[in-house]
Each structure stands twice: as C-alpha cells, then as structure tokens.
Amino acid sequence: EAFVQALGRLGVPFVQCFAEADREIAGLANRWGCPVLSLDSDFFVFDLAGGYCPLSHFQWQSVRIPAAAAPQGCFVPARCFSAERFCGHFGSLSKALLPLFAVMHGNDFVGLEALEAFFSKVRLPRGCAAGRGGKHLRLQGLLNWLAQFAEPAEAVDNVLKYLKKHQREEIRELLCTSMEDYAPSDVNLEDFFQNGSYECEAARKADLPQWVLDAFAKGKLAPFVINALILRSTFLRVQVENMQRPSAHSTALPIRQVIYGLLLRVSHSSEDASPSKQTNELPVVCEFDRCQKTLKKTFVQAASLPPDFCDDRFPLDKLMEVPVSCRQMLFLETLGVKMSSLEPIPSHLQLPVAVTCYWIRCSEPKVKLNQLKALLLIIVSGELQRITDDPDPTVLPAEDDSVAYKKFLKWKEKNLQNNDFDLDAAHSFCQWQCCLQMGLYLNQLLGTPLSEPDLSRLYTGTLVHRLYQELKSAPSVENLFLLSPKMAQLYLVLLNTVES
C-alpha cells in the first residue's frame, strides 16, 4: 500500500493487473520495445524484444553523469539479459523451447515429480561447466538436449516416450497448459495508459461492477478485496510476531467481516426467516491464517449490514450511490468511534486515530500505555518530517519545527543501534498494523469517506520499538517534540482523543 501511494505521489503511471501480471507486462514491454525491470525469474523465459534487467544487477550507488561529449544523459549501470544470446550458448536452441525448459525444470505451478522418470532414463548431453554438479549439470544437459528439436511439440513427443503409456496424455496436457503461461497476453495495457480502460477476459468472466474493476486497475482497491469477492478466499500474511499467541490478524476480524458483508451483500431483513436458515444464508469467506507455526484454513461469516446497505437499490455496483454520510457512519461504527471525537484531529490523521482506538479496545493482550505513547510519538515524528521536508508554500516555516526535527534525528541516530527486542510489544504493534491495513481496505471500498493517510510517514517498526523501550526506562522521552509547540500540542490532542 505504501508503494502504491509512493507511485501516485511521484506521478508514475501504473496499472494493477486483474490476474497474473507477467504475461501482460511482457506484452506491454514488446509493444513499447522496453526491457522489463523485475526480480521474477519467469522473465528469463519470455521472448522480450528489449530483454530483461534483473533489479539485483542495478548499481544504484554508481549513477553515471556523462562527459559533455556523451549525449545519453545520466544512467545507472545495469545488466540486460537477452533470451536470444542465452540460447546461442546451446547450439541451435530455439527461443520457443524456453517455456518447455522452464516447465520441465519446475516453475511456480508445476512440480518435477511427474518427470522424474524422464530424467532417470534420458541421456542428457554433458554440460560444459567444469566443477559444477547436480542441479546445474541437469539444467545444462536439459538445454543441450532440447536444442536438437525445432519446436516445442516435437520436444514434448520425445519427452513422453520416456514415460509410462498411461501417464502420457495427462503429462502432455499439463506441459502444454503450463507453457501457455509464457504466451503473449490478449490484454492491451497500452489502452489503459492512453485512455484509462482496462479490458481483460478474466475480469469479463468474473462479471465485476465496472467501478470495482476501474478502481482496482488504478490501485484504489487492494487484491485482498478482489480475492474475497471472486475466490471467496484470502491469504493473511504473517509478520514477525509471537507465534505462541493467536495471529495478529485475529484482532481485525470484525473489520474484515464488514468488508465481506459489503462485497457479498448480507441482509437480515426477512422477518420470517428462522435463525438457522439465516445462518445458512450467511455467505462465508475462507481465510488462510497462521495458527502457531502452521497455516490454518478458517471459514469466516460475513457481517450483516445496516438497512441502508441492504437496500435493493444499492447493490455492489451502486455502492458509491449510498450517501457519503452513511458510508462514513458505517466505517466509524465498525471501528467504534464517533465523528465528534475525531474533530480535533487533522483530517489526514483521523483514519489512523480511529484505527488506534479500535486496536486499544479489541487487542488481546491489552495494549500498554507506553505502547500507545510510542505509536503516537511515531505519528508525530512523521508529521514533523512532513512539514519540515515538504513545507506548505502558503505558511512561513517555523524555526522551532526545524530545531525539533534536528533534535529528533539526533535521538534516532543514537538509539537505532540498540538491539533490545520485546516480542510481546512486537506482537501488539503487528496487531495495530493489521487493523490499519483492514481499516484502509474498508475505507477504500466505501469510497474513502475519511482521507487516506500517508503510510510512509505513519509508522516505522524499528523506531516504535525503540521509543517503547525508552519510555519504560526514561519517561522524559515523551517530551521529544517539546521544542515545537505545534507538535507538542498535536501529541497531546492525539493522546487525549484516544484515551477519551
């Protein structure tokens, strides 16, 4: 989410693809004659006119400023992989055979078990790399073996000869289907960058409301929302947390249930339905989450919604027609906060403050006061950084803000060397992040009735831990921003609002 915000802030055009993005990226790169920049080894396999530049091979610290005679402008030295040049190392290997090589070696979707019979029986040509063994030799041998075939179908036929007859057709289908992952996509992303329209067969089949598809392509809705809507399943990412405690995501469960309710439209309006029948009618979403150190699948019921959102006039495709005051009220009621409580807070911080109130009420174990103070001090430090780095041109910068910021940076430099780590505090802050994430998603789904905060200035895990540790031994660190009356006042307003 912070990355999407950064792209928007920098004015970098981007699209969020509906399904697996690799094929769409490859199609756009070839249409524009660009290399692809990524860290995904699948791009070694696509036939890319401009090649593939792995991000790990950019020398970011060595920006070259050319001499007056060199017209190419500034550049960062990098390396570019060409499938054509790669294939040249293996005699007459055709680029068209690289997808089969990737699938046989084992890509994201196909394991190698089915092909072990082939590898155990075939005589692969020896690789030419002296001293390299095992897996590396097999890769070289497979590439040299594939080089004898003109096209993939001929190579597949020869692979199948080494398998038992009853397996052949099933493996042929598996290989051919998997190779299609490297075929050009039918999605024309150029259309999106020119006129904002994202057309995709998978999205058409999913029959999504147009506003949902548009918002998703523009990064205004998260993949989490689409997965819940179409697949009715979501994968909750694990953080560095206390594995003996329930997952940090469990705190945000009621927020997720409201998201599911909006997406799958639950209504309890029928008076005559029996409780058991109502329960059966509640849609469920399958969540994959951590249970101790393993993954567990749980079926979660969607929440029932207030009458305004159950009205047949406002199905999902007309959600934005629900008055904004109703959408705001649903958001705040989900977090258990009244708008009147948030009025003293700057508008761009109202959402994180509402989330913080929710976190304090719902977290188990209970949030400690010093954890809350550390979190609020981090939010204030982000505000101080914002007004110092990006001052409002209509307001004269205050000298005391600049002095306070320099003092904070000195404190930060001195304290980041400390490696103390409190696992329970980490778990509590993870719970806050889970609540913030789901609060953001709910706010986006409701058309942002509250302003979206700048995430990059809202939270820094290392710093919040340091502040928490420091507050336990030196409570005076609470006065870190005392040199700036504006920031000292903001901290008090945040603390009083949350505590009340």
Side-chain angles (χ1 to χ4, degrees), residues 16-28:
Q16 188 166 250
C17 294
F18 184 76
E20 189 71 32
D22 295 0
R23 293 173 62 212
E24 295 179 28
I25 291 168
L28 184 65

Side-chain angles (χ1 to χ4, degrees), residues 176-188:
C176 293
T177 305
S178 302
M179 283 192 288
E180 284 170 16
D181 289 338
Y182 300 101
S185 165
D186 61 343
V187 176
N188 180 2

